[in-house]
Amino acid sequence: MAEDEENVKLQMLPENDDPIAENLNNEPDDLNSNSEFKTEKKARDMFFNDDVRRIDFILAYIPTLNNKEDQEKSEKARKVFEQNLIGEGLELEYCLKNDEVHFVKVHVTLEVLTRYAEILKIRMPMKKSLVSEDMKQKFARLENPVRAVRTRCFEALAYLSNKFWAPFQLDPEIVPHVTRSFTCPYSRDKEYLFEIPDHKEDMFNNVTRSLIVDFILRRKPFSDDTKQTYSFGIKKMLADNHYSAAYPLHEGHWKPGSPPNARKLLYDNWAHWKMFFKFQPHNHIRNYYGEKIGMYFTWLGFYTQMLVPISITGLIIFIYGCAIMNTSYPGNEICNPDLNITMCPLCDVQCPYWKLNESCSHAKASRIFDNGATVFFAIFMSLWGTLFLEFWKRKQAVIQHKWDLIDFVVEEEPPRPEYLAKLSSCKKLKVNRVTGLQEPHVPFWTKRFPIFLMSWSLMFFLAAIAIGAVVGVIAYRVSVLAALNLLDKQAPTNSTLATETTKVIFENASLVTTITAALINLIVIIILNMIYSRLAFWLTDLENLRTQSDYDDSITLKLFSLQFVNYYSSIVYIAFFKGRFVGRPGDYNTLFGARQEECGSGGCLIELCIQLAIIMTGKQLIQNNIVEIVIPKVIKMVKRFLRKETREQKLAKSPWEKDYTLDPAQNTSLFYEYLEMILQFGFLTIFVAAFPLGPIFALLNNLIEIRCDALKFITHLRRPMAERAADIGIWYNVLYSISRIAVVSNAFIIALTSDYIPRMTYLSAYSKDGSMTGYINHSLAYFNTSDFEPDHRPVSSDLVEICRYRDFRNPPWSEEKYAYSEQYWHILAARLAFVVIFENVVVVMTSLIAWLIPDMPAKLKKRIRREAYITNEIVIKTELMRSHGEEVKSETIEALAEEETKKYSATENDENTELIHRKKDKRSYV
């Protein structure tokens, strides 16, 4: 072991775990003296045994393995790796407390921090004398007293907005506001620029410290053999089981009664259910988990906030639909028994003729969602999708500036450990043009192409399974609807509960069939979703992609494509295909020997609404919450039962042992969270014309989702490695693509699925009095029952000569009987014209909005330029002074900053004075 080597500087003292320490008070993270560091030790053991050096990372390994050869190999690899870490400047301390798991505590020294902060170009706070944050106060007297009307209006709107959102803000006394410091990339040669505290290590927060440690861990070799080029990095060691875990420590406990700490602050004011309607402390999340996780929760919070206006609008649309459902003239015509319209059977042979007024409730319900307001809502949602993306880009720019991500550049990624393991026996090497290292080379056409071909062929097969499941549900609907339509004949004549139940089911046969079919479809979707997730990862593993980014992009494309087909295929069928190719009585089109489905008398939109509501709410509120709330709690209870630890045993555990028992934070943790929200965004935008209540359900789900995700990160997972990310990655492109698809989808839903276009066509071209009177009779075609083929003739004893069906065809007494009528072609032309006009209007409006809204606020652009200018000018002047041998002191820096401030004030004064004179001249001229 490494402790036997003389050059390995580490301490092997036994752990001094004090159970009482968990109950002592904690101090804030930003401490300025060693004594204060010792005070924090009382709260949670976050230090080496000397109570001075902070634990920045934990490496865990199992000392005894089943295979002795593997055990020796792991010991040798760990020894080499740890020696290299010490050679880099890290300090290690062992915890060999038990025989199950050993721990290596890692501390990063100040010299290493400053060295790698300069290498990684980490931005650090500059001296307060250089900061232009208080410039508004300094130059308040120079502001233009004549305020523009636009400025006053904007400030009034901002004031009202702040008042509206005030109840949802966190208490600033409990959750202190995090202000942005004026920063620039750290340089050891220019430390005179930076705000350095008395205890210099406090300049680097915990996230930065663990980030630097992880950067080193990912690059240090664990083999002395120079031929093993890729025997390096903590990820490869974890993959080879040399270490069992590597993670930064949580900074305290989250349970009630625990001493104050950053983790408990987040739990009490972010993850707790009492904060259900409160905003998230994004800056505190970023300071604890890093920019990548902070960016996800910022995006999720922004998306949830943007759901508020469309939820209110959707609720108004729904209330409007409920208000007009009983006053809709087409609905009243359908419900009028005096019309005595006999409809053709819904299936061959067994189904009877039926009266149109039997579908009264179905027709009235369809008017709730199929009205003129639907068109407005579809256009509104298309514009909302664009506004959401554009405003997010502006929000993202502000976040990037506040979190110092403006000039963030993704570093060159090393190959994945799994990639190197699979190619360990590959003899063909090729020099990487970026790194200059020789890497295993896999020929594309002979090795990769067959795997890609097989992978995507299986993808199409899996998509076909989802479509096959939809066909199965269609067959279920056809057969069950036919069976329910026979209940009237089989119902007993006496008045019993069974009779009444049978009558209700018969009268609502279409509704019962639609709901049960949607529930079955939801179950099939959940099962297929579980299968797809595993197969997508298996296929991506077969492709053996080089870097983690390539792997993530590939799995994103696969899973999103499969889930897109899985969740949306049944909805697409009802929206665009159901009832389109049915044929007519006497000449029905068949599929697998059975008639295709028809839309009800009220159209297919109500069925689309039911299908969408069940699948969307079932997925969001049932599946996700069971997976994220119930299952983790059950697993946690089972683990507690199996461990059967006493309270004393729990208190005796060290923090690193407690964190080790938590679930590891996987690379795919955020992937599934993004995927879930992207699918929800698709439901809202692509099919929103059929379900205006969708945004409300999405809003409620997201409020729950935020707390569930927060609970998972704080209580169930080890502290994830802090990663930097300047945006939400490939997901923005997916969102943009969905928003474009939504424009086309909503246009066709209104044109084809809704009855809006036929009603408007009748009102403008065929109505005699300019009203909807007679529309139902106009929309139903005639059929002579004598034209039924013998094999398809109903066995009903009712003597019916003429029956009606939904279509625009010539009557049987016409020369071209049953051919499409003139009204059919007129309505088809109107549908296509509406699609073209809708798409072009929406595309023009959304493009204009995207062009008018800049990606970055103008004030932010000026601020960034101003900060860069001040930094550059001061660096130039101080370096010039140093070149002349002059000493640069704090007073010198303050003098230079004051000089820049005066220059700025003079410019501001001249501009404001000139503006005031121009306005006075203009008023005197008028």
Side-chain angles (χ1 to χ4, degrees):
M1 291 295 294
E3 61 268 24
D4 298 329
E5 300 292 333
E6 294 181 356
N7 60 343
V8 179
K9 298 178 182 178
L10 41 84
Q11 298 181 12
M12 295 292 296
L13 300 176
E15 293 300 317
N16 183 21
D17 294 308
D18 184 7
I20 304 175
E22 291 289 342
N23 299 319
L24 298 178
N25 291 331
N26 194 3
E27 293 293 328
D29 292 335
D30 298 328
L31 306 174
N32 296 322
S33 68
N34 291 340
S35 61
E36 290 177 319
F37 270 78
K38 292 180 181 179
T39 304
E40 188 180 24
K41 169 72 168 59
K42 296 178 182 179
R44 199 182 202 208
D45 192 358
M46 298 288 293
F47 296 86
F48 279 17
N49 290 334
D50 57 11
D51 293 350
V52 175
R53 291 174 294 173
R54 185 179 183 87
I55 301 173
D56 297 308
F57 220 84
I58 292 292
L59 303 176
Y61 65 92
I62 300 173
T64 55
L65 300 175
N66 295 329
N67 191 321
K68 187 175 181 180
E69 183 179 350
D70 291 342
Q71 182 177 340
E72 293 176 354
K73 183 180 178 181
S74 295
E75 288 178 358
K76 182 179 179 181
R78 288 195 297 269
K79 178 180 178 181
V80 173
F81 185 68
E82 290 161 9
Q83 286 177 339
N84 289 327
L85 293 182
I86 293 173
E88 188 66 35
L90 300 181
E91 296 180 354
L92 308 180
E93 184 176 84
Y94 284 101
C95 174
L96 311 179
K97 189 176 178 180
N98 54 57
D99 296 331
E100 296 180 358
V101 183
H102 288 181
F103 298 93
V104 181
K105 297 177 280 187
V106 182
H107 169 73
V108 55
T109 62
L110 179 61
E111 190 277 331
V112 177
L113 287 172
T114 55
R115 173 161 34 103
Y116 275 95
E118 185 173 23
I119 293 172
L120 298 177
K121 294 181 173 57
I122 294 176
R123 300 182 70 93
M124 304 300 293
M126 298 184 68
K127 288 184 180 295
K128 292 182 179 180
S129 58
L130 309 180
V131 179
S132 57
E133 297 286 342
D134 57 346
M135 195 168 289
K136 184 175 180 180
Q137 296 179 357
K138 288 182 180 180
F139 307 118
R141 60 184 178 81
L142 302 174
E143 290 184 358
N144 185 2
V146 183
R147 306 179 67 79
V149 175
R150 181 183 63 180
T151 303
R152 293 199 297 270
C153 291
F154 179 81
E155 290 178 350
L157 290 174
Y159 175 78
L160 293 176
S161 176
N162 292 335
K163 284 291 184 182
F164 177 79
W165 295 113
F168 308 102
Q169 300 284 353
L170 293 169
D171 188 348
E173 295 184 0
I174 300 175
V175 184
H177 180 66
V178 179
T179 58
R180 180 186 181 273
S181 300
F182 186 38
T183 63
C184 74
Y186 178 78
S187 172
R188 288 182 290 180
D189 294 336
K190 300 178 180 62
E191 282 196 345
Y192 54 82
L193 291 173
F194 301 98
E195 192 72 40
I196 299 177
D198 296 336
H199 192 276
K200 194 172 181 181
E201 285 194 6
D202 292 345
M203 186 169 61
F204 301 93
N205 59 30
N206 297 331
V207 169
T208 303
R209 297 172 71 94
S210 61
L211 191 70
I212 290 174
V213 175
D214 179 69
F215 184 84
I216 297 172
L217 294 178
R218 286 188 284 115
R219 280 158 179 78
K220 288 300 155 185
F222 55 87
S223 175
D224 293 331
D225 189 354
T226 56
K227 294 182 179 179
Q228 297 182 4
T229 312
Y230 288 99
S231 294
F232 71 90
I234 188 62
K235 290 188 176 181
K236 187 72 167 64
M237 296 194 75
L238 291 170
D240 294 344
N241 295 320
H242 299 324
Y243 286 109
S244 59
Y247 52 92
L249 283 178
H250 279 295
E251 295 179 22
H253 211 291
W254 56 271
K255 289 186 176 180
S258 301
N261 59 79
R263 187 185 184 190
K264 189 175 186 300
L265 175 71
L266 287 176
Y267 175 79
D268 292 340
N269 300 281
W270 177 41
H272 201 283
W273 291 103
K274 69 182 180 182
M275 296 293 147
F276 189 76
F277 291 106
K278 294 289 186 179
F279 287 134
Q280 303 177 84
H282 297 128
N283 294 309
H284 291 273
I285 298 171
R286 175 250 182 169
N287 290 340
Y288 193 80
Y289 288 111
E291 286 80 4
K292 188 173 184 179
I293 293 176
M295 187 66 73
Y296 163 72
F297 282 105
T298 302
W299 175 83
L300 180 57
F302 180 79
Y303 170 51
T304 303
Q305 190 175 349
M306 287 290 288
L307 288 175
V308 173
I310 61 172
S311 298
I312 296 172
T313 306
L315 181 61
I316 293 173
I317 298 296
F318 176 75
I319 295 173
Y320 170 78
C322 292
I324 68 168
M325 63 177 292
N326 292 319
T327 60
S328 171
Y329 196 86
N332 293 336
E333 280 191 342
I334 292 175
C335 297
N336 186 4
D338 297 334
L339 293 179
N340 195 28
I341 297 177
T342 302
M343 303 296 292
C344 297
L346 297 175
C347 65
D348 293 339
V349 184
Q350 297 296 330
C351 290
Y353 298 100
W354 57 285
K355 296 296 183 180
L356 179 63
N357 64 302
E358 294 175 2
S359 63
C360 175
S361 58
H362 186 275
K364 285 190 175 182
S366 67
R367 294 283 82 79
I368 297 176
F369 306 100
D370 189 0
N371 53 68
T374 304
V375 181
F376 163 78
F377 196 54
I379 297 175
F380 178 78
M381 284 300 298
S382 299
L383 299 179
W384 174 85
T386 301
L387 287 171
F388 166 66
L389 294 176
E390 293 301 318
F391 283 139
W392 166 246
K393 285 195 290 186
R394 291 170 63 86
K395 175 75 172 179
Q396 184 175 265
V398 174
I399 291 296
Q400 287 174 347
H401 175 255
K402 192 170 186 179
W403 293 355
D404 298 322
L405 297 170
I406 292 292
D407 53 356
F408 172 73
V409 178
V410 179
E411 62 187 81
E412 179 63 22
E413 292 185 83
R416 296 170 56 242
E418 296 83 357
Y419 171 84
L420 299 174
K422 287 187 177 181
L423 299 179
S424 57
S425 60
C426 181
K427 297 181 180 179
K428 187 173 182 180
L429 302 177
K430 188 176 181 180
V431 176
N432 186 299
R433 295 184 178 180
V434 177
T435 63
L437 300 175
Q438 286 190 336
E439 296 182 4
H441 176 66
V442 182
F444 177 78
W445 291 107
T446 58
K447 297 291 185 181
R448 289 195 178 277
F449 180 74
I451 295 177
F452 285 135
L453 184 62
M454 184 274 292
S455 177
W456 286 101
S457 298
L458 189 55
M459 283 278 295
F460 284 112
F461 174 72
L462 295 174
I465 291 177
I467 297 174
V470 174
V471 174
V473 174
I474 293 171
Y476 165 84
R477 269 202 295 257
V478 172
S479 57
V480 170
L481 184 61
L484 293 180
N485 280 309
L486 296 176
L487 289 177
D488 192 43
K489 291 183 177 181
Q490 302 171 359
T493 56
N494 56 340
S495 179
T496 62
L497 179 61
T499 304
E500 296 299 325
T501 303
T502 303
K503 183 178 179 182
V504 171
I505 294 175
F506 173 77
E507 292 175 353
N508 299 278
S510 178
L511 184 63
V512 171
T513 303
T514 301
I515 292 176
T516 55
L519 291 172
I520 292 173
N521 194 23
L522 176 62
I523 295 172
V524 173
I525 285 173
I526 293 173
I527 295 172
L528 287 178
N529 187 30
M530 297 168 61
I531 297 172
Y532 286 167
S533 296
R534 286 161 176 77
L535 287 177
F537 278 98
W538 179 69
L539 290 174
T540 310
D541 290 337
L542 286 180
E543 294 175 3
N544 199 22
L545 299 170
R546 178 182 176 274
T547 64
Q548 189 63 41
S549 295
D550 294 338
Y551 185 90
D552 292 343
D553 291 345
S554 180
I555 195 67
T556 298
L557 181 60
K558 286 185 179 65
L559 264 182
F560 178 75
S561 301
L562 289 174
Q563 296 210 21
F564 188 93
V565 175
N566 190 27
Y567 282 106
Y568 298 155
S569 54
S570 60
I571 302 173
V572 169
Y573 162 73
I574 295 176
F576 305 123
F577 296 100
K578 183 178 180 180
R580 303 284 174 264
F581 312 102
V582 175
R584 61 173 179 81
D587 186 24
Y588 282 112
N589 299 321
T590 59
L591 182 65
F592 304 115
R595 275 173 53 178
Q596 297 184 35
E597 285 188 286
E598 299 181 52
C599 293
S601 57
C604 281
L605 196 65
I606 185 64
E607 295 183 36
L608 177 62
C609 176
I610 294 172
Q611 184 84 5
L612 185 61
I614 290 177
I615 291 178
M616 178 180 171
T617 57
K619 176 191 180 301
Q620 298 284 338
L621 298 178
I622 299 175
Q623 179 194 0
N624 294 339
N625 293 332
I626 288 176
V627 171
E628 296 187 12
I629 299 177
V630 178
I631 293 179
K633 286 187 177 295
V634 171
I635 293 175
K636 194 172 182 179
M637 291 172 63
V638 171
K639 286 183 177 180
R640 282 181 179 176
F641 177 77
L642 294 176
R643 282 199 296 261
K644 296 181 179 179
E645 292 179 332
T646 62
R647 186 174 183 274
E648 289 73 16
Q649 289 175 325
K650 291 180 182 178
L651 290 174
K653 278 190 171 182
S654 60
W656 42 93
E657 289 177 301
K658 293 178 181 179
D659 286 3
Y660 185 80
T661 60
L662 300 175
D663 295 331
Q666 303 292 340
N667 291 331
T668 56
S669 296
L670 288 184
F671 169 79
Y672 284 109
E673 307 301 339
Y674 273 118
L675 180 61
E676 179 185 336
M677 291 296 104
I678 298 301
L679 290 172
Q680 182 196 92
F681 183 80
F683 280 120
L684 291 183
T685 54
I686 298 177
F687 307 104
V688 72
F691 190 40
L693 289 178
I696 295 179
F697 288 106
L699 177 62
L700 293 175
N701 171 80
N702 288 7
L703 292 174
I704 297 173
E705 181 72 21
I706 290 173
R707 308 308 156 189
C708 291
D709 290 345
L711 278 171
K712 179 176 68 175
F713 276 98
I714 290 177
T715 64
H716 292 84
L717 298 180
R718 296 174 195 157
R719 187 174 183 178
M721 182 57 237
E723 296 183 58
R724 306 195 78 196
D727 50 37
I728 60 174
I730 194 175
W731 296 111
Y732 181 85
N733 297 328
V734 176
L735 287 169
Y736 180 81
S737 301
I738 289 176
S739 68
R740 298 297 92 185
I741 294 173
V743 175
V744 180
S745 173
N746 284 302
F748 276 100
I749 286 176
I750 296 171
L752 301 180
T753 311
S754 166
D755 275 349
Y756 178 76
I757 300 301
R759 291 199 301 268
M760 292 300 100
T761 304
Y762 174 80
L763 195 62
S764 60
Y766 296 98
S767 177
K768 296 179 180 179
D769 56 358
S771 68
M772 293 300 295
T773 305
Y775 169 73
I776 295 301
N777 186 64
H778 173 80
S779 63
L780 298 175
Y782 294 85
F783 179 74
N784 193 326
T785 57
S786 62
D787 292 333
F788 272 122
E789 296 180 2
D791 295 341
H792 300 280
R793 188 182 301 277
V795 295
S796 174
S797 59
D798 299 336
L799 297 177
V800 177
E801 180 181 357
I802 297 293
C803 65
R804 310 291 294 275
Y805 60 99
R806 278 177 57 89
D807 210 341
F808 294 94
R809 292 179 181 268
N810 293 328
W813 53 83
S814 175
E815 294 181 0
E816 298 181 358
K817 66 177 183 178
Y818 307 133
Y820 287 118
S821 64
E822 179 184 348
Q823 291 92 331
Y824 171 83
W825 300 109
H826 190 177
I827 291 173
L828 179 62
R831 292 181 194 271
L832 296 177
F834 174 83
V835 170
V836 173
I837 294 173
F838 181 93
E839 288 183 7
N840 282 278
V841 169
V842 172
V843 167
V844 169
M845 292 177 67
T846 53
S847 300
L848 183 62
I849 289 173
W851 179 75
L852 289 174
I853 300 176
D855 295 346
M856 183 181 289
K859 287 185 177 179
L860 180 59
K861 287 183 180 179
K862 293 180 181 179
R863 182 185 179 88
I864 293 172
R865 291 172 59 189
R866 174 66 183 167
E867 291 179 357
Y869 172 78
I870 289 178
T871 305
N872 192 48
E873 287 296 311
I874 292 177
V875 168
I876 290 174
K877 292 179 180 179
T878 51
E879 288 301 308
L880 179 61
M881 293 171 63
R882 294 177 67 185
S883 67
H884 293 314
E886 299 179 28
E887 183 180 359
V888 179
K889 299 181 180 179
S890 299
E891 295 79 5
T892 308
I893 301 298
E894 292 177 3
L896 292 174
E898 186 66 26
E899 181 182 345
E900 292 299 323
T901 300
K902 290 180 179 178
K903 187 191 303 181
Y904 180 81
S905 63
T907 306
E908 286 288 302
N909 192 17
D910 292 341
E911 290 180 355
N912 288 329
T913 304
E914 182 181 355
L915 182 60
I916 293 171
H917 286 317
R918 281 206 305 264
K919 291 193 174 184
K920 287 182 178 179
D921 293 342
K922 185 177 180 181
R923 287 197 300 269
S924 59
Y925 174 78
V926 173

